[in-house]
Amino acid sequence: MSCAGTTFGLIAYIAVSWSLAFFFPQSVLAFLLFEASLLLIYYLPVHPKMKFYMGASVLLVLMPVLGFVNGYYLEVAVQIGIYVALALGLNIVVGFAGLLNLGFVAFYAIGAYLWAIFGSPQANAFLPGGFFPLSPAWFFVFLLLSVAVGALAGTLLGLPVLRLRGDYLAIVTLGFAEVVRALVNNLDKPINFTNGPQGIAPIEKPPLFFRPLLEFFGIQFEPAKLYPLYFYFLVLSLVMVIILVTRRLENSRIGRAWKAIREDEIAAAAMGVPVVRTKLFGFAVGASFASAVGVLFAAKQVFINPESFTFMESIGVLAMVILGGMGSVPGAILGATGVTILNLQLLKGLSLWLNSLRQSGAVLSIPFLGSYSLSQLPAQFEPAKYERMVFGLILILMMIFRPQGVLPPREDRKL
Amino acid sequence: MELALEILPQVLVDGIVLGFMYALIALGYTMVYGVLEFINFAHSEIFVLGSFVGVEILLMLQSAGQLTAWPPALVLLLVIVAGMVISGLAAMALERVAYRPLQGGPRLVALISAVGASFFLQDALRLFESLWRNTFYLSYPTLDLLDETVPLTTNLVVPVKSILVIVTALLMLAALHFFVNRTRVGTAIRAVAQDPETASLMGIPVNRVIALTFFVGGAMGGLAGVLFGLHYSLVNPYSGFAPGIKAFTAAVLGGIGNIPGAMLGGMVLGLLEAFAASYLSILTNGAFGAEYKDVFAFLVLILILIFRPSGLLGEKLREGRA
């Protein structure tokens, strides 16, 4: 009976939080409450079928409608989706196989530049014929291609370095990411491949292949309104595919081999696990996910430059995986969502609030310490600019107090 | 070719200066690695902290109007000692807060904590400077003495600041060598590095020795920070990343855990980098220029780790260490 009660409670919660977000489109809090409903759906003891229906309706119906009212929410949702996909990829490398990769962003950059170069006039700079930009229909071809290119890049890096011990591997991957970034930054001469620090624009968006269908039903949309929704569903499908692949891998022979290596490499080798090959496969799978997400990112941004692929980004994704719990798929999703919301909404909100305080010229009077005019608050003090501090604190505090993360993987929980 | 030979002495001086910087920073990585076997990723921020201590003291002296009144040697001594002490203490505090609670756990846990500490310290420095000076890009006030030059030959003019870097670094490296190899405390550090359990059975307070190692390594990093600031003049909270990672490369190049190795590795890497920065463009007819010097350092790191993970001077490491 409690099950039915919980179900109704949950439905009521979703309805209320959704209406709040719908009728108060400026409220970050309402949106957060609505986002939390997914977590509740996952955790509360509800019939699995109900979970599926509720999750599907939140993701496929309620969120898009909300996003249609307030485009910013959709933007946030797409960002979250991108980071969830990245975190799931890194989770395979760090969480399952136990290989600390500090240069994950390199593969993301490779994918992004793959589509950016050929999906914009950039490729004309070094290929004759003037075929570029490729037509949007090629986007899906490149999405598939990027999986292969990412896997190849991962293998090429992995082959020499995977024999190294854990912390050396971390530094080498970091170095690799810096090399990739330096190359992207400087390969505008002698031949202009990447257009250097100026970046590449405009990058083609994916094709609106469903347009005839919409027109058939007589629905007319402005492309400006349509694209955010379209990207939302693209990211959602990519995340779903990645979750599916990750889940299948996790419970397969190869997934068990990863975990065996993570727990004890020598013992795993003694049991006949081909250590280097298994590690390499994990590395390649993670890299190919990141690379595919990169293609999507480039298409969404229309403009990319090397600034988007700094070490900071790698650490951000690592913080997501560690916050959620290494080796746990729901953990990676939760971590990515949490950190992205923290970054995009909470810190920015705090900055805006401080700014308004500063402009209001209010005077704060503290007993015994005298009064302090808030307009004197230095303009440099903007929480949104201190994301490194936030990532750093997450990493240190998690390592000291809860190294297994907020949602550790199931088998650890049993112990 | 004419040009290539003409700039050679200048390139050598640049390389040596850079090499001593890397050597000083690399000592911090290598000493900590020796006792704890983990990469103190936040060491680059300890180095930057040294730069900031130096610039703050000089700016304060300047605003008090004392910068030119005091003898330059005294100013330099004050800045260097303050930078070393504060950086050393900061490294000790870092060990106490972020690493000691993790002792005995998996090594990756400590490494992740170190990466977090590095990020945290960068922004903490930025926050402090933003609130204090309203900007976090600072530049060292000019000291007239440092900008004077000593002509050695017709086409080689060495600025005093380069000589300062070389002399100070040599003195400190010699002092460190004496400290580690000839004193009781230094022996304790080496004992802990070899075998912490046995050392503790022999009555060596292991935790205190580890803290001391952090202090010494941090002080060397702080010294490098002050010298870096005096030499290149511009500092910001994020300027430690590249020197830090290169110094780590230097430590690995020399054989991590090995103190003379760190000095040698730093020197080799500094010279390589100076040569790459000046000659890459000449050799490739301008196709690849000095902007690839960072790539170069990373390639060196990757190649050493693949072909000789124990470094130039490193002995064959025990199973589980290499």
Side-chain angles (χ1 to χ4, degrees):
Chain A
M1 272 325 278
S2 75
C3 192
T6 325
T7 312
F8 283 120
L10 193 53
I11 293 177
Y13 174 86
I14 295 173
V16 169
S17 64
W18 183 79
S19 327
L20 278 175
F22 187 86
F23 290 112
F24 300 96
Q26 302 302 320
S27 164
V28 173
L29 191 68
F31 186 58
L32 283 179
L33 286 177
F34 176 61
E35 279 163 340
S37 66
L38 278 174
L39 199 66
L40 290 179
I41 293 174
Y42 184 80
Y43 266 106
L44 289 180
V46 178
H47 194 272
K49 235 179 194 167
M50 276 311 288
K51 280 191 182 186
F52 177 77
Y53 288 130
M54 285 196 279
S57 55
V58 166
L59 286 172
L60 297 178
V61 182
L62 297 178
M63 185 62 224
V65 172
L66 202 58
F68 206 71
V69 178
N70 184 348
Y72 179 67
Y73 286 163
L74 215 50
E75 173 69 28
V76 173
V78 171
Q79 284 283 358
I80 291 176
I82 284 180
Y83 282 116
V84 165
L86 282 177
L88 284 169
L90 186 62
N91 182 47
I92 290 187
V93 185
V94 178
F96 291 171
L99 308 165
L100 185 55
N101 184 345
L102 291 182
F104 198 58
V105 78
F107 304 113
Y108 182 46
I110 287 173
Y113 267 88
L114 184 70
W115 176 239
I117 289 173
F118 294 102
S120 76
Q122 178 61 30
N124 289 328
F126 58 93
L127 286 179
F131 291 118
F132 304 98
L134 292 170
S135 78
W138 283 87
F139 172 81
F140 291 104
V141 178
F142 270 74
L143 201 57
L144 288 178
L145 191 64
S146 71
V147 173
V149 171
L152 184 72
T155 314
L156 283 182
L157 173 66
L159 264 181
V161 305
L162 279 177
R163 285 164 216 276
L164 296 174
R165 227 200 34 208
D167 39 6
Y168 278 0
L169 180 73
I171 296 287
V172 171
T173 49
L174 192 170
F176 173 71
E178 286 300 305
V179 169
V180 167
R181 200 167 63 87
L183 285 177
V184 164
N185 218 346
N186 294 313
L187 273 183
D188 48 350
K189 63 185 170 26
I191 304 170
N192 188 357
F193 284 112
T194 62
N195 210 21
Q198 285 97 26
I200 299 179
I203 303 163
E204 288 286 341
K205 291 178 177 235
L208 293 167
F209 60 88
F210 46 82
R211 206 164 194 182
L213 197 71
L214 286 181
E215 275 163 8
F216 179 77
F217 286 110
I219 307 169
Q220 285 294 338
F221 272 128
E222 301 264 322
K225 273 263 185 199
L226 191 56
Y227 270 118
L229 271 178
Y230 185 23
F231 274 114
Y232 173 75
F233 282 108
L234 270 181
V235 169
L236 192 63
S237 347
L238 186 66
V239 168
M240 287 301 158
V241 169
I242 289 182
I243 292 178
L244 201 69
V245 172
T246 312
R247 279 283 191 212
R248 302 295 293 166
L249 280 173
E250 186 182 2
N251 300 319
S252 71
R253 193 185 170 80
I254 194 101
R256 290 194 299 274
W258 282 333
K259 287 177 191 167
I261 290 175
R262 179 188 68 193
E263 296 306 325
D264 189 335
E265 195 172 319
I266 296 167
M271 300 312 283
V273 174
V275 173
V276 173
R277 214 194 315 156
T278 311
K279 280 182 177 178
L280 203 57
F281 186 67
F283 220 64
V285 172
S288 59
F289 286 174
S291 173
V293 183
V295 170
L296 203 65
F297 175 75
K300 178 185 94 72
Q301 294 296 91
V302 182
F303 161 72
I304 60 165
N305 69 355
E307 288 294 296
S308 313
F309 308 103
T310 53
F311 179 47
M312 182 57 207
E313 207 74 2
S314 295
I315 297 302
V317 179
L318 181 69
M320 293 167 190
V321 173
I322 283 169
L323 182 68
M326 284 188 270
S328 143
V329 171
I333 298 172
L334 177 74
T337 313
V339 172
T340 315
I341 290 178
L342 188 72
N343 248 343
L344 286 181
Q345 300 200 306
L346 295 184
L347 292 184
K348 283 221 174 93
L350 205 58
S351 289
L352 287 175
W353 181 68
L354 278 176
N355 247 334
S356 65
L357 273 186
R358 207 172 284 143
Q359 265 148 31
S360 73
V363 177
L364 190 70
S365 51
I366 309 162
F368 309 113
L369 287 175
S371 59
Y372 180 74
S373 168
L374 286 173
S375 57
Q376 284 174 12
L377 216 60
Q380 290 281 348
F381 185 61
E382 267 191 62
K385 288 187 180 153
Y386 291 92
E387 36 180 6
R388 282 165 190 260
M389 197 179 247
V390 175
F391 290 163
L393 270 182
I394 290 176
L395 291 179
I396 303 177
L397 294 179
M398 290 307 289
M399 284 302 107
I400 294 177
F401 297 109
R402 202 176 159 84
Q404 74 274 38
V406 178
L407 297 181
R410 284 255 160 70
E411 60 264 26
D412 292 1
R413 239 180 280 164
K414 254 185 257 163
L415 290 174
Chain B
M1 227 43 231
E2 294 277 299
L3 180 69
L5 276 181
E6 232 167 67
I7 60 172
L8 183 62
Q10 191 60 51
V11 172
L12 274 175
V13 172
D14 288 348
I16 289 170
V17 168
L18 208 54
F20 274 119
M21 302 267 189
Y22 290 158
L24 284 173
I25 310 172
L27 283 171
Y29 285 107
T30 227
M31 289 181 71
V32 166
Y33 200 93
V35 294
L36 283 184
E37 287 184 23
F38 100 106
I39 302 168
N40 180 12
F41 205 86
H43 188 61
S44 51
E45 276 55 56
I46 299 296
F47 155 77
V48 171
L49 181 67
S51 297
F52 271 94
V53 170
V55 79
E56 280 298 337
I57 290 179
L58 289 180
L59 285 175
M60 280 176 198
L61 281 177
Q62 193 180 37
S63 61
Q66 300 294 320
L67 194 58
T68 43
W70 288 19
L74 185 66
V75 173
L76 287 177
L77 191 70
L78 173 71
V79 169
I80 285 172
V81 170
M84 288 179 71
V85 170
I86 294 180
S87 283
L89 291 177
M92 269 170 86
L94 179 71
E95 189 266 340
R96 189 70 194 78
V97 174
Y99 305 148
R100 192 167 311 168
L102 304 173
Q103 246 180 52
R107 225 176 351 220
L108 285 189
V109 166
L111 179 59
I112 292 169
S113 179
V115 173
S118 159
F119 265 51
F120 178 81
L121 287 177
Q122 286 176 1
D123 264 0
L125 258 177
R126 171 175 171 173
L127 183 62
F128 176 80
E129 289 298 339
S130 299
L131 295 178
W132 175 242
R133 292 207 181 269
N134 224 355
T135 174
F136 53 90
Y137 290 93
L138 298 180
S139 63
Y140 271 65
T142 47
L143 291 171
D144 292 334
L145 172 72
L146 291 183
D147 287 326
E148 279 169 24
T149 53
V150 183
L152 283 186
T153 61
T154 46
N155 59 0
L156 179 63
V157 181
V158 183
V160 171
K161 55 188 177 188
S162 299
I163 297 175
L164 174 78
V165 172
I166 294 170
V167 171
T168 321
L170 271 178
L171 280 177
M172 289 319 293
L173 291 178
L176 183 77
H177 195 76
F178 175 79
F179 172 73
V180 172
N181 290 316
R182 294 277 185 277
T183 62
R184 261 177 86 81
V185 188
T187 315
I189 290 181
R190 283 183 292 136
V192 171
Q194 269 182 10
D195 191 336
E197 275 124 56
T198 314
S200 127
L201 289 176
M202 298 292 146
I204 295 174
V206 174
N207 273 339
R208 263 162 59 196
V209 170
I210 290 174
L212 182 76
T213 311
F214 268 86
F215 179 82
V216 176
M220 291 292 153
L223 171 66
V226 173
L227 294 177
F228 185 88
L230 289 171
H231 197 270
Y232 302 106
S233 132
L234 290 175
V235 289
N236 74 61
Y238 309 119
S239 59
F241 178 69
I245 207 84
K246 285 180 202 158
F248 175 75
T249 306
V252 175
L253 179 62
I256 196 141
N258 183 320
I259 290 176
M263 301 179 194
L264 177 73
M267 194 50 68
V268 171
L269 195 73
L271 284 169
L272 274 177
E273 189 180 319
F275 273 95
S278 316
Y279 285 102
L280 215 51
S281 149
I282 298 177
L283 289 178
T284 59
N285 275 326
F288 300 101
E291 65 271 14
Y292 284 97
K293 66 184 201 302
D294 291 357
V295 174
F296 199 71
F298 284 122
L299 288 180
V300 170
L301 175 66
I302 294 177
L303 290 179
I304 309 163
L305 284 180
I306 294 167
F307 293 110
R308 199 177 156 79
S310 52
L312 295 175
L313 296 189
E315 70 272 45
K316 196 95 179 112
L317 297 176
R318 284 201 309 272
E319 182 62 36
R321 286 189 73 174

mmCIF file with all atom_site columns, all heavy atoms in Angstrom, chain A residues 320-340:
data_model
loop_
_atom_site.group_PDB
_atom_site.id
_atom_site.type_symbol
_atom_site.label_atom_id
_atom_site.label_alt_id
_atom_site.label_comp_id
_atom_site.label_asym_id
_atom_site.label_entity_id
_atom_site.label_seq_id
_atom_site.pdbx_PDB_ins_code
_atom_site.Cartn_x
_atom_site.Cartn_y
_atom_site.Cartn_z
_atom_site.occupancy
_atom_site.B_iso_or_equiv
_atom_site.pdbx_formal_charge
_atom_site.auth_seq_id
_atom_site.auth_comp_id
_atom_site.auth_asym_id
_atom_site.auth_atom_id
_atom_site.pdbx_PDB_model_num
ATOM 1   N N   . MET A 1 320 ? 33.021 15.634 -11.350 1.00 0.00 ? 320 MET A N   1
ATOM 2   C CA  . MET A 1 320 ? 31.668 15.077 -11.463 1.00 0.00 ? 320 MET A CA  1
ATOM 3   C C   . MET A 1 320 ? 31.671 13.583 -11.150 1.00 0.00 ? 320 MET A C   1
ATOM 4   O O   . MET A 1 320 ? 30.842 13.084 -10.395 1.00 0.00 ? 320 MET A O   1
ATOM 5   C CB  . MET A 1 320 ? 31.140 15.286 -12.881 1.00 0.00 ? 320 MET A CB  1
ATOM 6   C CG  . MET A 1 320 ? 30.902 16.730 -13.227 1.00 0.00 ? 320 MET A CG  1
ATOM 7   S SD  . MET A 1 320 ? 30.649 16.916 -14.995 1.00 0.00 ? 320 MET A SD  1
ATOM 8   C CE  . MET A 1 320 ? 30.696 18.705 -15.118 1.00 0.00 ? 320 MET A CE  1
ATOM 9   N N   . VAL A 1 321 ? 32.631 12.878 -11.772 1.00 0.00 ? 321 VAL A N   1
ATOM 10  C CA  . VAL A 1 321 ? 32.676 11.426 -11.583 1.00 0.00 ? 321 VAL A CA  1
ATOM 11  C C   . VAL A 1 321 ? 32.950 11.092 -10.118 1.00 0.00 ? 321 VAL A C   1
ATOM 12  O O   . VAL A 1 321 ? 32.326 10.196 -9.547  1.00 0.00 ? 321 VAL A O   1
ATOM 13  C CB  . VAL A 1 321 ? 33.761 10.808 -12.490 1.00 0.00 ? 321 VAL A CB  1
ATOM 14  C CG1 . VAL A 1 321 ? 33.946 9.342  -12.179 1.00 0.00 ? 321 VAL A CG1 1
ATOM 15  C CG2 . VAL A 1 321 ? 33.389 10.989 -13.937 1.00 0.00 ? 321 VAL A CG2 1
ATOM 16  N N   . ILE A 1 322 ? 33.847 11.849 -9.501  1.00 0.00 ? 322 ILE A N   1
ATOM 17  C CA  . ILE A 1 322 ? 34.231 11.530 -8.135  1.00 0.00 ? 322 ILE A CA  1
ATOM 18  C C   . ILE A 1 322 ? 33.140 11.903 -7.153  1.00 0.00 ? 322 ILE A C   1
ATOM 19  O O   . ILE A 1 322 ? 32.854 11.174 -6.203  1.00 0.00 ? 322 ILE A O   1
ATOM 20  C CB  . ILE A 1 322 ? 35.564 12.217 -7.811  1.00 0.00 ? 322 ILE A CB  1
ATOM 21  C CG1 . ILE A 1 322 ? 36.658 11.403 -8.486  1.00 0.00 ? 322 ILE A CG1 1
ATOM 22  C CG2 . ILE A 1 322 ? 35.790 12.321 -6.327  1.00 0.00 ? 322 ILE A CG2 1
ATOM 23  C CD1 . ILE A 1 322 ? 37.966 12.043 -8.509  1.00 0.00 ? 322 ILE A CD1 1
ATOM 24  N N   . LEU A 1 323 ? 32.481 13.033 -7.407  1.00 0.00 ? 323 LEU A N   1
ATOM 25  C CA  . LEU A 1 323 ? 31.379 13.434 -6.541  1.00 0.00 ? 323 LEU A CA  1
ATOM 26  C C   . LEU A 1 323 ? 30.288 12.370 -6.560  1.00 0.00 ? 323 LEU A C   1
ATOM 27  O O   . LEU A 1 323 ? 29.776 11.960 -5.529  1.00 0.00 ? 323 LEU A O   1
ATOM 28  C CB  . LEU A 1 323 ? 30.817 14.779 -7.015  1.00 0.00 ? 323 LEU A CB  1
ATOM 29  C CG  . LEU A 1 323 ? 29.689 15.355 -6.185  1.00 0.00 ? 323 LEU A CG  1
ATOM 30  C CD1 . LEU A 1 323 ? 30.219 15.761 -4.830  1.00 0.00 ? 323 LEU A CD1 1
ATOM 31  C CD2 . LEU A 1 323 ? 29.079 16.549 -6.873  1.00 0.00 ? 323 LEU A CD2 1
ATOM 32  N N   . GLY A 1 324 ? 29.954 11.894 -7.747  1.00 0.00 ? 324 GLY A N   1
ATOM 33  C CA  . GLY A 1 324 ? 28.878 10.918 -7.858  1.00 0.00 ? 324 GLY A CA  1
ATOM 34  C C   . GLY A 1 324 ? 29.278 9.560  -7.312  1.00 0.00 ? 324 GLY A C   1
ATOM 35  O O   . GLY A 1 324 ? 28.465 8.871  -6.715  1.00 0.00 ? 324 GLY A O   1
ATOM 36  N N   . GLY A 1 325 ? 30.514 9.191  -7.515  1.00 0.00 ? 325 GLY A N   1
ATOM 37  C CA  . GLY A 1 325 ? 30.972 7.877  -7.072  1.00 0.00 ? 325 GLY A CA  1
ATOM 38  C C   . GLY A 1 325 ? 31.605 7.159  -8.237  1.00 0.00 ? 325 GLY A C   1
ATOM 39  O O   . GLY A 1 325 ? 30.935 6.862  -9.225  1.00 0.00 ? 325 GLY A O   1
ATOM 40  N N   . MET A 1 326 ? 32.910 6.888  -8.100  1.00 0.00 ? 326 MET A N   1
ATOM 41  C CA  . MET A 1 326 ? 33.623 6.249  -9.202  1.00 0.00 ? 326 MET A CA  1
ATOM 42  C C   . MET A 1 326 ? 33.044 4.868  -9.472  1.00 0.00 ? 326 MET A C   1
ATOM 43  O O   . MET A 1 326 ? 32.813 4.091  -8.550  1.00 0.00 ? 326 MET A O   1
ATOM 44  C CB  . MET A 1 326 ? 35.098 6.122  -8.845  1.00 0.00 ? 326 MET A CB  1
ATOM 45  C CG  . MET A 1 326 ? 35.844 7.428  -8.969  1.00 0.00 ? 326 MET A CG  1
ATOM 46  S SD  . MET A 1 326 ? 37.604 7.171  -8.754  1.00 0.00 ? 326 MET A SD  1
ATOM 47  C CE  . MET A 1 326 ? 37.747 7.376  -6.996  1.00 0.00 ? 326 MET A CE  1
ATOM 48  N N   . GLY A 1 327 ? 32.803 4.598  -10.729 1.00 0.00 ? 327 GLY A N   1
ATOM 49  C CA  . GLY A 1 327 ? 32.333 3.273  -11.101 1.00 0.00 ? 327 GLY A CA  1
ATOM 50  C C   . GLY A 1 327 ? 30.833 3.113  -10.997 1.00 0.00 ? 327 GLY A C   1
ATOM 51  O O   . GLY A 1 327 ? 30.320 2.009  -11.118 1.00 0.00 ? 327 GLY A O   1
ATOM 52  N N   . SER A 1 328 ? 30.122 4.218  -10.774 1.00 0.00 ? 328 SER A N   1
ATOM 53  C CA  . SER A 1 328 ? 28.678 4.096  -10.627 1.00 0.00 ? 328 SER A CA  1
ATOM 54  C C   . SER A 1 328 ? 27.997 4.949  -11.689 1.00 0.00 ? 328 SER A C   1
ATOM 55  O O   . SER A 1 328 ? 28.243 6.153  -11.788 1.00 0.00 ? 328 SER A O   1
ATOM 56  C CB  . SER A 1 328 ? 28.284 4.531  -9.217  1.00 0.00 ? 328 SER A CB  1
ATOM 57  O OG  . SER A 1 328 ? 27.070 5.217  -9.216  1.00 0.00 ? 328 SER A OG  1
ATOM 58  N N   . VAL A 1 329 ? 27.140 4.318  -12.495 1.00 0.00 ? 329 VAL A N   1
ATOM 59  C CA  . VAL A 1 329 ? 26.487 5.048  -13.582 1.00 0.00 ? 329 VAL A CA  1
ATOM 60  C C   . VAL A 1 329 ? 25.525 6.115  -13.045 1.00 0.00 ? 329 VAL A C   1
ATOM 61  O O   . VAL A 1 329 ? 25.605 7.282  -13.431 1.00 0.00 ? 329 VAL A O   1
ATOM 62  C CB  . VAL A 1 329 ? 25.787 4.075  -14.548 1.00 0.00 ? 329 VAL A CB  1
ATOM 63  C CG1 . VAL A 1 329 ? 24.939 4.825  -15.552 1.00 0.00 ? 329 VAL A CG1 1
ATOM 64  C CG2 . VAL A 1 329 ? 26.825 3.239  -15.265 1.00 0.00 ? 329 VAL A CG2 1
ATOM 65  N N   . PRO A 1 330 ? 24.611 5.747  -12.100 1.00 0.00 ? 330 PRO A N   1
ATOM 66  C CA  . PRO A 1 330 ? 23.762 6.819  -11.555 1.00 0.00 ? 330 PRO A CA  1
ATOM 67  C C   . PRO A 1 330 ? 24.595 7.899  -10.883 1.00 0.00 ? 330 PRO A C   1
ATOM 68  O O   . PRO A 1 330 ? 24.249 9.079  -10.922 1.00 0.00 ? 330 PRO A O   1
ATOM 69  C CB  . PRO A 1 330 ? 22.886 6.097  -10.525 1.00 0.00 ? 330 PRO A CB  1
ATOM 70  C CG  . PRO A 1 330 ? 23.131 4.670  -10.666 1.00 0.00 ? 330 PRO A CG  1
ATOM 71  C CD  . PRO A 1 330 ? 24.281 4.431  -11.555 1.00 0.00 ? 330 PRO A CD  1
ATOM 72  N N   . GLY A 1 331 ? 25.712 7.491  -10.283 1.00 0.00 ? 331 GLY A N   1
ATOM 73  C CA  . GLY A 1 331 ? 26.584 8.461  -9.627  1.00 0.00 ? 331 GLY A CA  1
ATOM 74  C C   . GLY A 1 331 ? 27.132 9.470  -10.612 1.00 0.00 ? 331 GLY A C   1
ATOM 75  O O   . GLY A 1 331 ? 27.112 10.678 -10.358 1.00 0.00 ? 331 GLY A O   1
ATOM 76  N N   . ALA A 1 332 ? 27.617 8.971  -11.756 1.00 0.00 ? 332 ALA A N   1
ATOM 77  C CA  . ALA A 1 332 ? 28.179 9.882  -12.754 1.00 0.00 ? 332 ALA A CA  1
ATOM 78  C C   . ALA A 1 332 ? 27.114 10.853 -13.238 1.00 0.00 ? 332 ALA A C   1
ATOM 79  O O   . ALA A 1 332 ? 27.373 12.047 -13.421 1.00 0.00 ? 332 ALA A O   1
ATOM 80  C CB  . ALA A 1 332 ? 28.751 9.090  -13.921 1.00 0.00 ? 332 ALA A CB  1
ATOM 81  N N   . ILE A 1 333 ? 25.888 10.338 -13.412 1.00 0.00 ? 333 ILE A N   1
ATOM 82  C CA  . ILE A 1 333 ? 24.806 11.211 -13.886 1.00 0.00 ? 333 ILE A CA  1
ATOM 83  C C   . ILE A 1 333 ? 24.501 12.270 -12.835 1.00 0.00 ? 333 ILE A C   1
ATOM 84  O O   . ILE A 1 333 ? 24.415 13.465 -13.132 1.00 0.00 ? 333 ILE A O   1
ATOM 85  C CB  . ILE A 1 333 ? 23.545 10.378 -14.197 1.00 0.00 ? 333 ILE A CB  1
ATOM 86  C CG1 . ILE A 1 333 ? 23.857 9.389  -15.317 1.00 0.00 ? 333 ILE A CG1 1
ATOM 87  C CG2 . ILE A 1 333 ? 22.386 11.269 -14.576 1.00 0.00 ? 333 ILE A CG2 1
ATOM 88  C CD1 . ILE A 1 333 ? 22.755 8.402  -15.582 1.00 0.00 ? 333 ILE A CD1 1
ATOM 89  N N   . LEU A 1 334 ? 24.383 11.819 -11.591 1.00 0.00 ? 334 LEU A N   1
ATOM 90  C CA  . LEU A 1 334 ? 24.078 12.769 -10.518 1.00 0.00 ? 334 LEU A CA  1
ATOM 91  C C   . LEU A 1 334 ? 25.196 13.795 -10.378 1.00 0.00 ? 334 LEU A C   1
ATOM 92  O O   . LEU A 1 334 ? 24.944 14.997 -10.251 1.00 0.00 ? 334 LEU A O   1
ATOM 93  C CB  . LEU A 1 334 ? 23.893 12.019 -9.191  1.00 0.00 ? 334 LEU A CB  1
ATOM 94  C CG  . LEU A 1 334 ? 23.652 12.949 -8.015  1.00 0.00 ? 334 LEU A CG  1
ATOM 95  C CD1 . LEU A 1 334 ? 22.251 13.504 -8.075  1.00 0.00 ? 334 LEU A CD1 1
ATOM 96  C CD2 . LEU A 1 334 ? 23.897 12.259 -6.697  1.00 0.00 ? 334 LEU A CD2 1
ATOM 97  N N   . GLY A 1 335 ? 26.449 13.318 -10.411 1.00 0.00 ? 335 GLY A N   1
ATOM 98  C CA  . GLY A 1 335 ? 27.587 14.224 -10.260 1.00 0.00 ? 335 GLY A CA  1
ATOM 99  C C   . GLY A 1 335 ? 27.606 15.271 -11.351 1.00 0.00 ? 335 GLY A C   1
ATOM 100 O O   . GLY A 1 335 ? 27.781 16.462 -11.083 1.00 0.00 ? 335 GLY A O   1
ATOM 101 N N   . ALA A 1 336 ? 27.396 14.822 -12.592 1.00 0.00 ? 336 ALA A N   1
ATOM 102 C CA  . ALA A 1 336 ? 27.426 15.764 -13.703 1.00 0.00 ? 336 ALA A CA  1
ATOM 103 C C   . ALA A 1 336 ? 26.303 16.782 -13.570 1.00 0.00 ? 336 ALA A C   1
ATOM 104 O O   . ALA A 1 336 ? 26.509 17.988 -13.753 1.00 0.00 ? 336 ALA A O   1
ATOM 105 C CB  . ALA A 1 336 ? 27.303 15.017 -15.025 1.00 0.00 ? 336 ALA A CB  1
ATOM 106 N N   . THR A 1 337 ? 25.118 16.296 -13.203 1.00 0.00 ? 337 THR A N   1
ATOM 107 C CA  . THR A 1 337 ? 23.992 17.217 -13.058 1.00 0.00 ? 337 THR A CA  1
ATOM 108 C C   . THR A 1 337 ? 24.275 18.212 -11.943 1.00 0.00 ? 337 THR A C   1
ATOM 109 O O   . THR A 1 337 ? 24.110 19.422 -12.111 1.00 0.00 ? 337 THR A O   1
ATOM 110 C CB  . THR A 1 337 ? 22.709 16.426 -12.735 1.00 0.00 ? 337 THR A CB  1
ATOM 111 O OG1 . THR A 1 337 ? 22.627 15.332 -13.642 1.00 0.00 ? 337 THR A OG1 1
ATOM 112 C CG2 . THR A 1 337 ? 21.492 17.280 -12.886 1.00 0.00 ? 337 THR A CG2 1
ATOM 113 N N   . GLY A 1 338 ? 24.719 17.684 -10.811 1.00 0.00 ? 338 GLY A N   1
ATOM 114 C CA  . GLY A 1 338 ? 24.953 18.551 -9.655  1.00 0.00 ? 338 GLY A CA  1
ATOM 115 C C   . GLY A 1 338 ? 25.981 19.627 -9.947  1.00 0.00 ? 338 GLY A C   1
ATOM 116 O O   . GLY A 1 338 ? 25.743 20.812 -9.706  1.00 0.00 ? 338 GLY A O   1
ATOM 117 N N   . VAL A 1 339 ? 27.132 19.202 -10.489 1.00 0.00 ? 339 VAL A N   1
ATOM 118 C CA  . VAL A 1 339 ? 28.203 20.175 -10.705 1.00 0.00 ? 339 VAL A CA  1
ATOM 119 C C   . VAL A 1 339 ? 27.793 21.199 -11.764 1.00 0.00 ? 339 VAL A C   1
ATOM 120 O O   . VAL A 1 339 ? 28.069 22.390 -11.634 1.00 0.00 ? 339 VAL A O   1
ATOM 121 C CB  . VAL A 1 339 ? 29.512 19.462 -11.088 1.00 0.00 ? 339 VAL A CB  1
ATOM 122 C CG1 . VAL A 1 339 ? 30.566 20.466 -11.496 1.00 0.00 ? 339 VAL A CG1 1
ATOM 123 C CG2 . VAL A 1 339 ? 30.012 18.632 -9.934  1.00 0.00 ? 339 VAL A CG2 1
ATOM 124 N N   . THR A 1 340 ? 27.092 20.745 -12.819 1.00 0.00 ? 340 THR A N   1
ATOM 125 C CA  . THR A 1 340 ? 26.689 21.687 -13.860 1.00 0.00 ? 340 THR A CA  1
ATOM 126 C C   . THR A 1 340 ? 25.690 22.705 -13.316 1.00 0.00 ? 340 THR A C   1
ATOM 127 O O   . THR A 1 340 ? 25.795 23.906 -13.591 1.00 0.00 ? 340 THR A O   1
ATOM 128 C CB  . THR A 1 340 ? 26.057 20.932 -15.044 1.00 0.00 ? 340 THR A CB  1
ATOM 129 O OG1 . THR A 1 340 ? 26.865 19.820 -15.345 1.00 0.00 ? 340 THR A OG1 1
ATOM 130 C CG2 . THR A 1 340 ? 25.968 21.819 -16.262 1.00 0.00 ? 340 THR A CG2 1
#
